[in-house]
Amino acid sequence: MQAHPDVSVQTCSQYYETTSTFANALNLGELTCDLFGLNTLSYDWSSLMEKGYCADLSDSTIIANIMSQMYPNIAALGINDGRIYAVPVSITFRNTLFNQDALAMCGWEDEPTPQSFPELLDFADRWCDLIEENGAYEGLRLRAGWESDLYGEGTYSAWLISLLIDSYISQAQYAGETLDFNNQELIGLLEQCMTVGRRLYALEPKPRNTDSGDGIGFLVTAPQLSWPTDASQIVCFRLNSQQPAILKADVDMYAVYSGSNQTVLTIQLLESLLAGEERPSSFDRELLYTNAEPKLNSNYDYAVSVHKKYLAETEAQLQDSTLSNDERLILEDELAKWQKALIDDESDEKKYLVSAAKLASYREKEPYFYFETPNAFNSSTEASSQLKSLEEQYANGVINVETLVKELNRIARMSMLEDE
């Protein structure tokens, strides 16, 4: 902080797995901090604000102004009872995309993106029908990237079951409903996951090489720091078309610890991080704001110059008349690579940190964002492992669907009792 050269800033990288372990560390003095940042998926911010761990930031005109520029449902994550206690600083996404390149490989260019779990299962069934009719499509799968050593008869079923249960939990949480897995629609889809998953395992070629990802998938997980130019490619896993087409997103937020001995100075530090001249501009930050505009990639000119340099060097090497045929073929491949890189450089995807097309796509879907909070099945590594174990046991025939539902409900009830 240039205004306070006598003050040093120290950071702490200690990881606290749950909200309670983080709060206990503060209470016991094991963690001393003035400013902290946590994610909305892993930590219960509502609890931290309600229990007084976050200082009230409402009187800061800088922070209030920044919050007013954000999308209301994003800003609301840091507000409790009308007061500001935390400030969103970045957003990431958990989207699954329908791979248009994979669809073109089997002549299904006009295939609509699945917008419900039944539509996904229907697509998978028709894909299996196509394989039975024409034979396996080398390298093409519903999902690619399987670990060959762990791939077995229940692998596809377990993955589908995991997607389904995750969607069911999210929809219940979004609607404010008590989790109850004894739902006939859910049970029917769980049983379909078993059938479709086994069919995919039987018909698709087995993965051979984990390192290469082995194949192209119709469904691909988008990078968390990415947003598609065409939002219609986002797959929705809701149980039926009557449920909202929610999209999962996570937000990192900063808060000033209410027990800080330097509250005023820490608020000034937070203000400088949010609005100072050194405030970083990045894709995940810009998309917090309603007034975001297309922003050029500051590294674009450098990237183009590097590609031109390598292209010129490769062209010069190809002028060598003493090259063997193999050496010439290698250099020609290199030349084609740099030529393609320069063509790609002309696209908005390369020129812009945030392009106009992406902003339009983002704004179309922003009202459907759902910011998941810790629950009985994701609140800790142990909880997640327990859920995964049950999914895999069912997928591999160790337990039946009745036992799966019973165990899921037992875990949900225990979590509710612990929260009371």
Side-chain angles (χ1 to χ4, degrees), residues 306-308 310-311 314 318 329-345:
V306 169
H307 294 160
K308 287 181 177 179
Y310 287 138
L311 178 66
T314 306
L318 280 167
L329 286 172
I330 291 172
L331 285 172
E332 287 174 350
D333 285 343
E334 282 288 302
L335 182 68
K337 181 177 77 173
W338 298 123
Q339 288 172 334
K340 183 180 184 304
L342 283 169
I343 292 173
D344 291 343
D345 286 339

Side-chain angles (χ1 to χ4, degrees), residues 83-158:
R83 308 293 291 179
I84 300 171
Y85 291 96
V87 185
V89 293
S90 66
I91 184 169
T92 55
F93 311 98
R94 284 180 283 152
N95 291 326
T96 298
L97 304 181
F98 214 31
N99 188 349
Q100 302 304 303
D101 291 338
L103 292 167
M105 289 174 65
C106 64
W108 282 2
E109 292 91 343
D110 297 327
E111 182 71 22
T113 302
Q115 289 301 299
S116 69
F117 207 85
E119 288 182 14
L120 171 62
L121 292 178
D122 175 70
F123 173 82
D125 252 339
R126 288 186 288 110
W127 165 236
C128 289
D129 291 341
L130 190 66
I131 296 175
E132 287 181 332
E133 181 180 342
N134 298 334
Y137 288 70
E138 187 63 32
L140 190 56
R141 311 171 190 280
L142 181 65
R143 176 200 145 168
W146 295 112
E147 294 186 32
S148 55
D149 293 343
L150 302 177
Y151 190 76
E153 188 178 10
T155 302
Y156 250 124
S157 295

Side-chain angles (χ1 to χ4, degrees), residues 26-41:
L26 290 174
N27 292 334
L28 297 173
E30 295 174 359
L31 172 64
T32 56
C33 69
D34 300 300
L35 181 72
F36 62 87
L38 300 172
N39 185 271
T40 54
L41 172 64

Side-chain angles (χ1 to χ4, degrees), residues 194-350:
M194 290 290 287
T195 304
V196 173
R198 296 295 173 91
R199 197 175 178 209
L200 286 163
Y201 175 79
L203 293 170
E204 286 189 350
K206 306 301 180 285
R208 298 163 300 180
N209 188 336
T210 299
D211 294 336
S212 69
D214 198 42
I216 299 174
F218 289 111
L219 268 62
V220 294
T221 301
Q224 289 189 319
L225 291 176
S226 174
W227 184 265
T229 302
D230 182 1
S232 68
Q233 295 175 11
I234 300 175
V235 181
C236 183
F237 298 115
R238 56 186 173 172
L239 273 67
N240 56 62
S241 58
Q242 282 69 53
Q243 289 183 330
I246 56 177
L247 299 173
K248 289 188 178 184
D250 307 325
V251 168
D252 287 325
M253 299 204 290
Y254 284 163
V256 174
Y257 177 40
S258 59
S260 169
N261 293 322
Q262 299 287 346
T263 302
V264 173
L265 195 59
T266 307
I267 291 176
Q268 291 176 5
L269 171 61
L270 179 56
E271 290 172 341
S272 68
L273 291 173
L274 296 169
E277 293 181 3
E278 301 303 317
R279 180 176 73 88
S281 176
S282 60
F283 180 84
D284 56 323
R285 289 175 181 265
E286 294 300 325
L287 292 184
L288 296 171
Y289 301 97
T290 57
N291 58 357
E293 297 180 349
K295 190 173 292 289
L296 289 170
N297 182 353
S298 60
N299 295 321
Y300 175 74
D301 289 340
Y302 173 74
V304 172
S305 69
V306 169
H307 294 160
K308 287 181 177 179
K309 172 177 175 289
Y310 287 138
L311 178 66
E313 289 176 353
T314 306
E315 287 175 335
Q317 289 174 309
L318 280 167
Q319 299 303 312
D320 186 351
S321 60
T322 66
L323 289 172
S324 68
N325 287 336
D326 287 344
E327 289 172 332
R328 187 169 297 279
L329 286 172
I330 291 172
L331 285 172
E332 287 174 350
D333 285 343
E334 282 288 302
L335 182 68
K337 181 177 77 173
W338 298 123
Q339 288 172 334
K340 183 180 184 304
L342 283 169
I343 292 173
D344 291 343
D345 286 339
E346 294 301 311
S347 69
D348 283 354
E349 288 290 308
K350 299 290 185 179

Side-chain angles (χ1 to χ4, degrees), residues 1-23:
M1 296 176 65
Q2 295 179 355
H4 301 275
D6 56 321
V7 177
S8 62
V9 177
Q10 297 181 347
T11 60
C12 173
S13 58
Q14 176 66 42
Y15 173 67
Y16 296 94
E17 186 178 40
T18 65
T19 309
S20 60
T21 56
F22 174 74

